[in-house]
Amino acid sequence: MSSQIDHLLNESRRFAPSAKFAADAVASADLYAQAGADREAFWAEQARALEWSTPFTQTLDWSNPPFAQWFADGELNVAYNCLDRHVEAGLGDRVALLWEGEPGDSRAVTYSELTDEVKRVANVLEGLGVGHGDRVAIYLPMIPEAIAAMLAVARIGAIHSVIFGGFSADSLRSRLDDAGAKLVITADGGYRKGRVSPLKPAVDHALGDRGAGPQESVEHVLVVRRTGNEVSWDADRDIWWHDAVPAASGEHVAQPFPAENPLFILYTSGTTGKPKGILHTSGGYLTQAAFTHKVAHDIHPASDVFWCTADIGWITGHSYVVYGPLANGTTQVLYEGTPDTPHPGRWWEIVQKYGVTILYTAPTAIRSFMKLGRQIPEQFDLSSIRLLGSVGEPINPEAWMWYRHVIGGDSTPIIDTWWQTETGAMMVSALPGVTETKPGSAQVSLPGITIDVVDDDGNHVGNGNGGLLVITEPWPSMLRGIWGDPDRFKETYWEKFETQGFYFAGDGARLDEDGDIWFLGRVDDVMNVSGHRLSTTEIESALVGNEAVAEAAVVGASDETTGQAVVAFVIIKQSYLDAHSPEGLAGTLRQWVGEQIGPIARPRDVYIVGELPKTRSGKIMRRLLRDVAEGREIGDTTTLADTMVMSVISAQVK
């Protein structure tokens, strides 16, 4: 960490919005007052920003908790709201997608062009017998056809289930079976790290006999030709996109559907056993995705170029690559590949090329850029950026400051956002131009959202204390259940605080002296060491604060003496590895954590490793590290970007 960042972190714990930013900001302090005065009326006003075929008369039905219904007697078409209405408003020539392929090919897709494509795909789907309520699996790379596929499914009232392209055939099969998918939309392959990542072969394997017979519900596979790799072909089942879609009619009327019509099933990552399909519906979800995208990212559609780096296989890609930006008529970047291909400055090259004004990415990515050094982004013109965002996990203050200093030029606000697959849209975030920002803290719930931090009995913990994060009132984009398993929904999210009527998010959090929220990660990642609750995030932040450390992950491992013990996996900067022994570095870091936090947080073990296990979206899979720390057989690694990394780590810690 540079001395300048260190100085900023120590001297300025809060950043007030600049006068210029505040003057032009989309959001205002009035939003909090309006939501506080009448929360349902507030959400009704946000919903009316959409186009409704049948206006709703009832905002919320909470007569059967935890199953909410929002705007239930209203009707709308989600795809129409994301496409047709912008074209009809004269914005058809506005660019919707600035697509960049990993090999360097690119396309600019206007709202008119995307609308035409979606209409044609909708006609193809209906011609294949897909209709209202049918499930369609989408297993595609980050290409414009993926966005068109999602919107076409939504347009005809069917339900899409986007399956991340990194999942194995077994994982794909379990999701196809659980959803009862009628159609799969895939590609021959996609590009990743300069190589072809085959997709159609995985679909073929998933649909074949996996030991219990062939898959039974899928009738057709629609295939995009992206990479030209050889694929096997079933003439009775498989259809080329480039044959079917251009030949289909470009006329298609978007029919309205009830607000509670299911929109998508999204399976949570890292599941073991039976997949957990989170179900979201239409009206409430689109209302909150569009509203939060607009106010938290300070969207000015006529001038902004927005880039959310998430894959559409995750909820961030659903809400802030597809539905939120397109509902708001935004121009956005869509990138197929990885941040380091063909060179480590690829992201910053894209920012410079397209004049990106708003960048929304994950703390893991930010820390990986820190490891590479500021000299890489400094080779590019990043002056177009006016707002930065963080999503996916808690961001440590050091990474927050580096992000602001190196990428934001010490002038851009940073929104640190908290939400989940289950919440559907942002729940906690600063509002740029309205609230102050604080390094490492997500700070405050958004207008219309009610958050609390409570103890195990549901009592408010008060400022300066930690506990469990709960949502105390229903919100529009909340999940409507787990697909096919309502009892599991109740058990997982509702039963713990059913008496109080709280949704339990499964995350730990603390309130600082100002009442701002600091997220501690999943409750599973909050350790109990000799009766003391310690956050893995806090210890990781302390480790990264040492100048020798490039990246760190901390887990709690079973310990006969203390109940749980702190175990750290640390990547050391090469210059320090060259000058010090791993044993000496490990001892130094144990002492460092004790000095930064206290003796109780001193790691029992510090393992020096070359890599950490990450998904292709950049999240560290700490459960696999816990397997190593406790000497267990390594669990499912199918979602890792590099499935071999755990073998390397296991060898390094022996």
Side-chain angles (χ1 to χ4, degrees), residues 602-622:
R602 185 182 297 126
R604 182 190 70 187
D605 303 302
V606 174
Y607 296 118
I608 308 300
V609 297
E611 294 293 338
L612 293 171
K614 297 177 183 177
T615 66
R616 280 174 56 176
S617 64
K619 287 188 177 181
I620 298 171
M621 296 194 70
R622 291 172 179 81

Side-chain angles (χ1 to χ4, degrees), residues 138-143 146 162-169 172 176 184-192 195-207 221-233 237-238 240 311-312 336 616:
I138 298 173
Y139 187 65
L140 285 168
M142 289 289 283
I143 55 179
V162 180
I163 301 172
F164 176 57
F167 279 122
S168 66
L172 180 58
L176 295 175
V184 177
I185 304 177
T186 190
D188 51 2
Y191 289 101
R192 179 170 176 80
R195 299 187 298 272
V196 171
S197 175
L199 295 174
K200 173 66 161 52
V203 173
D204 292 337
H205 288 312
L207 296 179
V221 179
L222 184 60
V223 187
V224 178
R225 179 177 286 163
R226 166 64 184 138
T227 57
N229 55 297
E230 289 189 12
V231 295
S232 60
W233 202 256
R237 184 196 68 191
D238 300 340
W240 281 115
D311 190 283
I312 59 164
E336 177 185 33
R616 280 174 56 176

Side-chain angles (χ1 to χ4, degrees), residues 112-335:
S112 287
E113 291 167 338
L114 185 57
T115 303
D116 179 76
E117 183 88 342
V118 168
K119 288 180 177 181
R120 293 177 189 275
V121 178
N123 282 319
V124 170
L125 298 182
E126 290 180 333
L128 293 173
V130 178
H132 178 242
D134 287 332
R135 276 78 66 202
V136 175
I138 298 173
Y139 187 65
L140 285 168
M142 289 289 283
I143 55 179
E145 289 84 354
I147 311 298
M150 293 173 69
L151 291 167
V153 173
R155 189 178 188 88
I156 65 174
I159 306 167
H160 62 68
S161 180
V162 180
I163 301 172
F164 176 57
F167 279 122
S168 66
D170 284 336
S171 298
L172 180 58
R173 172 64 174 268
S174 66
R175 287 153 175 77
L176 295 175
D177 287 345
D178 189 71
K182 191 171 185 178
L183 175 80
V184 177
I185 304 177
T186 190
D188 51 2
Y191 289 101
R192 179 170 176 80
K193 292 185 177 293
R195 299 187 298 272
V196 171
S197 175
L199 295 174
K200 173 66 161 52
V203 173
D204 292 337
H205 288 312
L207 296 179
D209 191 339
R210 309 294 295 169
Q215 208 280 336
E216 296 181 349
S217 63
V218 173
E219 298 175 1
H220 295 285
V221 179
L222 184 60
V223 187
V224 178
R225 179 177 286 163
R226 166 64 184 138
T227 57
N229 55 297
E230 289 189 12
V231 295
S232 60
W233 202 256
D234 182 335
D236 294 327
R237 184 196 68 191
D238 300 340
I239 303 157
W240 281 115
W241 179 290
H242 61 263
D243 287 337
V245 174
S249 171
E251 297 298 322
H252 186 278
V253 177
Q255 298 296 326
F257 297 98
E260 285 297 321
N261 189 61
L263 178 61
F264 64 85
I265 304 165
L266 187 57
Y267 290 92
T268 54
S269 59
T271 54
T272 57
K274 182 178 172 61
K276 186 170 66 174
I278 304 302
L279 176 66
H280 282 285
T281 56
S282 301
Y285 168 79
L286 189 62
T287 293
Q288 192 167 334
F291 169 73
T292 53
H293 173 256
K294 179 176 65 176
V295 299
H297 288 120
D298 191 51
I299 294 296
H300 295 76
S303 57
D304 276 321
V305 177
F306 176 74
W307 186 15
C308 171
T309 66
D311 190 283
I312 59 164
W314 311 118
I315 188 63
T316 304
H318 279 55
S319 299
Y320 301 112
V321 173
V322 183
Y323 291 111
L326 294 177
N328 288 324
T330 310
T331 296
Q332 65 174 319
V333 169
L334 189 70
Y335 176 52

Side-chain angles (χ1 to χ4, degrees), residues 338-590:
T338 58
D340 56 356
T341 304
H343 57 81
R346 185 61 188 278
W347 272 17
W348 315 122
E349 181 181 65
I350 291 172
V351 169
Q352 176 180 279
K353 177 178 179 178
Y354 294 113
V356 171
T357 59
I358 301 161
L359 179 66
Y360 190 39
T361 194
T364 300
I366 298 165
R367 289 190 289 267
S368 70
F369 294 131
M370 290 176 67
K371 180 171 64 175
L372 293 171
R374 60 183 295 161
Q375 69 275 9
I376 293 174
E378 285 179 346
Q379 297 173 37
F380 300 92
D381 181 3
L382 308 183
S383 61
S384 61
I385 295 176
R386 65 179 190 83
L387 180 69
L388 296 169
S390 172
V391 61
E393 59 182 318
I395 183 171
N396 53 298
E398 294 78 11
W400 195 103
M401 290 300 304
W402 188 92
Y403 195 30
R404 186 180 194 274
H405 177 60
V406 177
I407 307 304
D410 282 334
S411 62
T412 55
I414 296 176
I415 56 166
D416 177 13
T417 63
W418 175 86
W419 55 295
Q420 303 173 311
T421 303
E422 293 86 345
T423 70
M426 293 179 196
M427 304 293 280
V428 179
S429 172
L431 279 188
V434 178
T435 60
E436 294 183 326
T437 55
K438 182 184 294 185
S441 171
Q443 294 190 279
V444 293
S445 56
L446 286 165
I449 304 299
T450 57
I451 299 282
D452 200 1
V453 180
V454 301
D455 61 21
D456 285 329
D457 296 320
N459 301 309
H460 176 70
V461 297
N463 291 359
N465 297 299
L468 305 175
L469 186 84
V470 295
I471 306 169
T472 63
E473 298 286 349
W475 63 100
S477 65
M478 68 189 299
L479 77 165
R480 299 306 197 259
I482 294 173
W483 179 258
D485 200 344
D487 291 338
R488 189 180 181 190
F489 169 47
K490 292 180 180 179
E491 292 166 5
T492 304
Y493 305 104
W494 187 250
E495 282 189 354
K496 183 173 181 62
F497 296 113
E498 183 173 6
T499 301
Q500 295 89 347
F502 296 164
Y503 167 92
F504 176 44
D507 278 348
R510 68 178 175 88
L511 300 173
D512 65 15
E513 291 74 11
D514 300 319
D516 288 332
I517 301 169
W518 293 72
F519 286 97
L520 305 179
R522 302 298 295 166
V523 170
D524 291 343
D525 294 331
V526 177
M527 299 166 288
N528 192 325
V529 180
S530 298
H532 298 270
R533 293 172 69 92
L534 299 174
S535 162
T536 59
T537 302
E538 186 175 13
I539 300 172
E540 289 169 2
S541 183
L543 286 164
V544 173
N546 186 285
E547 60 184 3
V549 176
E551 200 165 359
V554 168
V555 298
S558 298
D559 187 276
E560 291 183 1
T561 303
T562 60
Q564 282 187 300
V566 179
V567 177
F569 297 80
V570 178
I571 299 175
I572 300 295
K573 295 174 183 175
Q574 189 60 49
S575 60
Y576 285 86
L577 274 179
D578 294 340
H580 302 84
S581 70
E583 294 78 13
L585 286 166
T588 298
L589 291 174
R590 290 186 70 249

